[in-house]
Amino acid sequence: MKLVIQIPCYNEADTLEAALNDLPRELEGIDEIEYLIINDGSCDATAEVARRWGVHHIVNFSQNRGLAKGFMAGLDGCLRNGADIIVNTDADNQYCAEDIQALIQPILDGSADMVVGARPIDETEHFSYLKKKLQHLGSWAVRKASKTDIPDAPSGFRAMTRDTAMRINVVNDYTYTLETIVQAGREKIAITSVPVHTNPQVRPSRLFGGIWSYVKKSVVIILRAYVMYQPFKAFTYISILPTLLGLGVSFRFLYFYFTGDGGGHVQSLILACTLIIIGFLTFTIGLVSDLISSNRRILADTQYHVRRMEYNMEQKYKGSGGQDEE
């Protein structure tokens, strides 16, 4: 059983070595551990620190492409290097590496395919009161959208199986944390969480440009992911409001019409028809989106099989003595 621990990095030369030093060298149930760094266009000596420390694999971007793309590139690198289990953690040493054993244990036990580390949000000193409440609110929204019970959706400390990593797709450019949970829940991937500890903060989060900026982007990601996996339900909900308003206005017109005063309320009839047409068109968009979603599922399944063949062939090539360039 091979574990690859991946760490997305952007200008992390000052903190990376400390994070690497804390990583485990051996774990129960794991035969081999390797480390992979995603150097996301860093302008400092991040890559040099990783090489000097002895990291096995480095994925380099020539310019910064964002956390989501870095995460996906890391998964690709881990899979190409034969990972059976992949753990993702942060370069600022936010998460206690001692908890990696607990993080992968549900996978080793066969009870889960993806595990998310749940931080003690309310006990985290450097989180403001507002941030704590927003974290809870965001996690609640993700639980509703994904039909899971993950208490800490924004946590980047997570583990997944090789098969799950091949099924994961992230389409937004901001972060992978929320979208992957919605995908896992909607695609019936066995997902659970375990409590983990955090280390003292060494620098402010670079994902947060500001609280409200993060909230805005997170809301868009959650809504987009929900619409992607439940388009018919989403557009049906949206169509209800204009339809009900249109019916209400039409009943008002009919009341005046049958009481002999309909001539002065033609505007109400026009408004009612407009609202009902909007509701019907929105519902129709939901039907079309549902058909597109069906095609998306077929394409995702095809992509999964293509990935599996590609990675398995690459491992056979390496096993036969072929040389690989990274």
Side-chain angles (χ1 to χ4, degrees):
M1 184 71 70
K2 183 175 182 178
L3 169 68
V4 179
I5 302 174
Q6 71 169 36
I7 307 179
C9 299
Y10 178 60
N11 294 335
E12 303 288 1
D14 294 334
T15 60
L16 179 57
E17 186 171 1
L20 290 170
N21 288 336
D22 284 350
L23 294 180
R25 305 313 190 259
E26 58 181 32
L27 292 167
E28 184 179 349
I30 299 298
D31 302 312
E32 184 179 2
I33 301 177
E34 292 184 355
Y35 313 101
L36 181 144
I37 299 300
I38 304 101
N39 180 31
D40 190 12
S42 298
C43 303
D44 63 3
T46 295
E48 287 73 13
V49 170
R51 291 191 185 96
R52 186 170 61 247
W53 188 88
V55 168
H56 299 84
H57 314 286
I58 300 178
V59 177
N60 278 304
F61 289 165
S62 58
Q63 65 178 18
N64 181 255
R65 298 174 64 183
L67 184 58
K69 292 187 181 298
F71 174 78
M72 290 303 297
L75 293 187
D76 179 72
C78 293
L79 292 169
R80 291 185 185 279
N81 287 286
D84 296 302
I85 301 176
I86 300 170
V87 166
N88 185 87
T89 189
D90 282 1
D92 62 359
N93 206 27
Q94 174 186 174
Y95 306 104
C96 288
E98 294 178 356
D99 291 325
I100 290 180
Q101 181 70 64
L103 194 68
I104 65 173
Q105 197 59 50
I107 293 177
L108 294 175
D109 295 340
S111 60
D113 295 316
M114 180 186 292
V115 185
V116 179
R119 297 165 294 178
I121 299 296
D122 292 327
E123 287 77 39
T124 304
E125 294 182 359
H126 63 270
F127 281 7
S128 66
Y129 175 81
L130 177 60
K131 185 174 179 179
K132 291 176 182 179
K133 294 304 179 184
L134 290 174
Q135 291 272 19
H136 288 308
L137 178 61
S139 295
W140 173 83
V142 172
R143 287 196 296 273
K144 292 299 181 182
S146 63
K147 290 189 175 181
T148 65
D149 58 356
I150 304 302
D152 185 12
S155 171
F157 195 35
R158 53 186 64 191
M160 66 185 71
T161 64
R162 178 179 181 85
D163 187 80
T164 298
M166 286 190 280
R167 295 182 183 276
I168 290 295
N169 285 300
V170 178
V171 298
N172 80 88
D173 294 329
Y174 185 54
T175 180
Y176 60 89
T177 55
L178 309 179
E179 185 177 339
T180 50
I181 293 176
V182 175
Q183 180 182 357
R186 292 296 173 176
E187 296 292 343
K188 307 300 181 183
I189 295 173
I191 180 172
T192 189
S193 67
V194 296
V196 297
H197 304 86
T198 56
N199 294 313
Q201 186 183 33
V202 296
R203 61 161 176 77
S205 172
R206 290 181 179 146
L207 191 62
F208 283 89
I211 289 289
W212 298 114
S213 173
Y214 178 78
V215 169
K216 181 179 67 174
K217 291 179 180 179
S218 297
V219 168
V220 171
I221 290 170
I222 295 170
L223 290 176
R224 184 178 181 183
Y226 180 76
V227 172
M228 181 183 297
Y229 292 100
Q230 295 289 312
F232 181 71
K233 184 181 292 187
F235 281 102
T236 298
Y237 288 154
I238 295 172
S239 70
I240 288 175
L241 179 60
T243 301
L244 290 179
L245 288 174
L247 290 174
V249 175
S250 66
F251 289 148
R252 177 178 180 274
F253 171 79
L254 290 174
Y255 168 79
F256 285 113
Y257 178 80
F258 286 113
T259 56
D261 192 24
H265 297 279
V266 177
Q267 298 91 336
S268 296
L269 179 61
I270 295 173
L271 177 60
C273 292
T274 302
L275 290 171
I276 291 173
I277 289 172
I278 291 173
F280 176 75
L281 290 176
T282 305
F283 179 77
T284 304
I285 291 172
L287 290 175
V288 175
S289 299
D290 190 60
L291 295 175
I292 295 173
S293 179
S294 299
N295 288 329
R296 182 199 57 77
R297 287 193 290 269
I298 295 172
L299 290 173
D301 189 59
T302 302
Q303 182 189 54
Y304 163 73
H305 288 289
V306 170
R307 283 176 171 174
R308 189 168 67 173
M309 288 189 294
E310 178 185 358
Y311 294 132
N312 289 345
M313 287 179 62
E314 188 160 340
Q315 287 306 300
K316 289 180 180 179
Y317 175 74
K318 288 183 177 181
S320 65
Q323 297 298 314
D324 178 59
E325 293 185 4
E326 187 161 359

